[in-house]
Amino acid sequence: MPKRVLLYFGSFNPVHIGHLLIAQEALIRTGTDELWFVVSPRNPLKNSTELADEGHRKNMLELAIENYGLERMSVCDIEFGLPRPSYTVDTLRALAGRYPDVRFGMLIGEDNLRSFHRWREHEVILDQVQVFAYARGTGQYGEVPESVLSHRNLQCWKDVPLLDISSSRIRHKIMHSEPYEVYLPFGVATYIKKYGLYRNITT
């Protein structure tokens, strides 16, 4: 039986405890063998001016996983070596070529589900992998095409325990010298201070 791996794509800019909570919940719900955090160097649908260096974002994720002793979780940097900006369909093809014996699935948030129909070759993604979407708000997706919502490979979760935390909120707090440490996994705040991340963001 092939190993099953759930891919959690994101900028993780920076990783916060909400990311870890949903990752742990997703592992339980899907029963997959492993979860890989796939760090995106640059999301084609997001502003890149606030992005910390991809190496820092990867290091912070690895630090969080190690410090919390999170089993069956790891960081995947395959997109670092792919053309940019990163398109998920290309990443999935690269992963399938590198790991032919692994069965992949995807975990995305409500914000990504709302824009999913704008992703490059989103139909191909849905046809090839199972996509699990977790709601951040009301769980109402009126703007998402029915062809996406009704697809056999899409499963929407509306009862996932979520924390009211976002990376953008954390970056705002850092930039304005407000307390932010409580939102981050152990060790990550120290890392951010050591390298002076997010202090001088231009928007």
Side-chain angles (χ1 to χ4, degrees), residues 20-182:
L20 303 185
L21 177 64
I22 186 60
Q24 190 69 63
E25 182 74 14
L27 271 175
I28 296 171
R29 291 192 179 212
T30 61
T32 48
D33 300 302
E34 297 177 11
L35 181 144
W36 296 356
F37 292 92
V38 184
V39 183
S40 301
R42 184 165 77 85
N43 186 321
L45 297 180
K46 290 186 177 181
N47 185 350
S48 62
T49 60
E50 297 185 9
L51 271 178
D53 178 81
E54 61 204 46
H56 283 311
R57 290 182 281 125
K58 176 188 174 184
N59 290 343
M60 287 187 282
L61 265 169
E62 291 178 336
L63 188 64
I65 291 171
E66 178 182 0
N67 284 347
Y68 278 90
L70 298 175
E71 299 180 354
R72 298 190 292 145
M73 294 187 194
S74 59
V75 182
C76 175
D77 63 0
I78 191 170
E79 289 193 345
F80 291 13
L82 298 179
R84 307 189 184 184
S86 307
Y87 293 99
T88 301
V89 67
D90 296 330
T91 305
L92 290 172
R93 289 180 177 129
L95 285 167
R98 184 176 297 185
Y99 306 100
D101 297 327
V102 174
R103 180 182 173 188
F104 291 105
M106 279 179 53
L107 175 66
I108 64 175
E110 179 182 325
D111 51 345
N112 283 321
L113 178 59
R114 292 181 186 279
S115 64
F116 189 78
H117 59 287
R118 295 163 49 204
W119 291 20
R120 176 177 288 186
E121 298 184 56
H122 72 275
E123 303 97 334
V124 174
I125 296 174
L126 275 174
D127 287 340
Q128 292 183 348
V129 301
Q130 188 162 17
V131 178
F132 302 92
Y134 59 93
R136 291 179 180 274
T138 63
Q140 302 298 315
Y141 312 110
E143 65 271 44
V144 182
E146 182 60 27
S147 60
V148 172
L149 285 178
S150 62
H151 198 284
R152 68 184 186 283
N153 278 341
L154 175 66
Q155 186 177 133
C156 295
W157 299 333
K158 299 180 181 180
D159 58 343
V160 177
L162 298 174
L163 299 178
D164 186 20
I165 304 173
S166 69
S167 294
S168 59
R169 180 180 178 186
I170 293 170
R171 294 194 302 271
H172 181 274
K173 286 181 173 294
I174 295 172
M175 185 171 60
H176 291 86
S177 300
E178 299 174 2
Y180 63 91
E181 293 84 353
V182 69

